[in-house]
Amino acid sequence: MYSLSTLAMAFGLTLFAGLSTSIGAGIAVSKRNPGPAFMAAALGLSAGVMLYVSFMEILPTGLDQLTEAYGSEKTGTWALVLAFFAGIAVIAIIDRLVPEEINPHEPATTEEAARRKRLIKTGVFTACALAFHNFPEGFATFLAGLEDPRIAIPVAVAIAIHNIPEGIAVAVPLREATSSRAKAFWWATISGLAEPVGAVVGFLLLLPLMGPATMGFSFAAIAGIMVFISLDELLPTAEETGEHHYAIYGLIAGMAIMALSLLMFL
């Protein structure tokens, strides 16, 4: 049985990591009139973070889990690829099922209304995908905190670092679409709160059921979801600003930030 102080410390680390999305949201909403260059760079940066973390962190972690579960790297790899494309299929189906509602009282032009709807969908999908991603992340951070704080602290800090651009990923399109800093900020914050929620739910309900296979499939599917969002939503929206080079610079910067945050805790 864990002591109350151990539980509190593990939960505190998880809460810290999750709420760092608010830092990214604060950065995103702090500019009064973000221009197309800022939008392109911020969306590109978010895509870079999501692509890099998917291929360099989440998928390798999933492969390790599935290899352990099935006792064979070949079988684990097949399971990983299947779960990865299953995640893409799920988010693609959801994307197709989203109703294209048009508000007849919207004063903007049809083109502007379509752009705003796309940005809203981008922000909401990104928030949902990151929440799903943060849920097992929070569970893993919480477990590390229960077992060994020396391991949990660098894990929590690394997660916090890459949650900052994730907060930007959610807040930027929603800020632009709704013209509301508060809505953009709170949506990003809520996506980060999935981490402490994952910690609590995992500890109370899922711990007896969670094993390498479940975690491996979850990580692979989450990677697929994040890759789809990056390629289908974030990068096309960044390109629509007309600032192609800023989108690419942001993409590369996002990958570099994510790479450095991971290298710091090798």
Side-chain angles (χ1 to χ4, degrees):
M1 182 63 65
Y2 298 105
S3 67
L4 184 60
S5 61
T6 300
L7 290 170
M9 188 210 64
F11 183 79
L13 286 172
T14 307
L15 185 63
F16 157 74
L19 285 180
S20 64
T21 56
S22 298
I23 299 175
I27 293 172
V29 303
S30 62
K31 293 178 70 69
R32 290 191 174 184
N33 296 300
F38 174 80
M39 281 286 294
L43 291 167
L45 183 143
S46 303
V49 168
M50 294 177 75
L51 288 171
Y52 193 92
V53 75
S54 294
F55 288 117
M56 300 300 292
E57 181 186 21
I58 300 177
L59 283 176
T61 301
L63 179 59
D64 290 342
Q65 296 281 354
L66 291 169
T67 299
E68 179 184 345
Y70 294 110
S72 166
E73 184 174 351
K74 182 177 180 180
T75 304
T77 302
W78 273 97
L80 182 85
V81 171
L82 180 64
F84 175 77
F85 284 104
I88 291 178
V90 168
I91 195 65
I93 291 170
I94 293 173
D95 185 41
R96 297 293 296 175
L97 293 177
V98 171
E100 297 292 337
E101 297 176 344
I102 298 176
N103 185 348
H105 303 292
E106 173 62 52
T109 63
T110 301
E111 182 179 350
E112 175 65 13
R115 188 181 74 88
R116 286 180 177 271
K117 287 189 297 177
R118 183 184 181 90
L119 285 169
I120 290 174
K121 187 170 70 172
T122 296
V124 172
F125 269 14
T126 303
C128 291
L130 292 176
F132 283 123
H133 166 53
N134 290 340
F135 191 90
E137 238 181 33
F139 184 45
T141 305
F142 187 72
L143 288 181
L146 293 179
E147 295 301 322
D148 189 348
R150 292 174 298 179
I151 298 174
I153 291 173
V155 167
V157 172
I159 291 173
I161 290 171
H162 81 248
N163 276 351
I164 293 174
E166 287 180 358
I168 295 174
V170 177
V172 166
L174 289 176
R175 156 78 191 277
E176 182 71 5
T178 65
S179 300
S180 171
R181 297 185 185 187
K183 288 180 180 178
F185 180 86
W186 287 113
W187 265 102
T189 299
I190 288 170
S191 72
L193 287 176
E195 292 202 3
V197 170
V200 172
V201 173
F203 182 71
L204 296 178
L205 300 176
L206 302 180
L207 186 59
L209 305 175
M210 293 299 286
T214 303
M215 291 298 292
F217 278 114
S218 298
F219 278 125
I222 288 165
I225 291 171
M226 293 178 72
V227 168
F228 182 89
I229 288 174
S230 297
L231 300 180
D232 184 65
E233 300 288 347
L234 293 176
L235 288 177
T237 305
E239 287 290 329
E240 283 181 0
T241 64
E243 298 288 353
H244 166 78
H245 287 99
Y246 281 97
I248 298 302
Y249 298 153
L251 176 74
I252 296 170
M255 291 182 175
I257 290 171
M258 192 67 250
L260 289 174
S261 71
L262 295 176
L263 288 171
M264 287 170 60
F265 299 100
L266 280 178

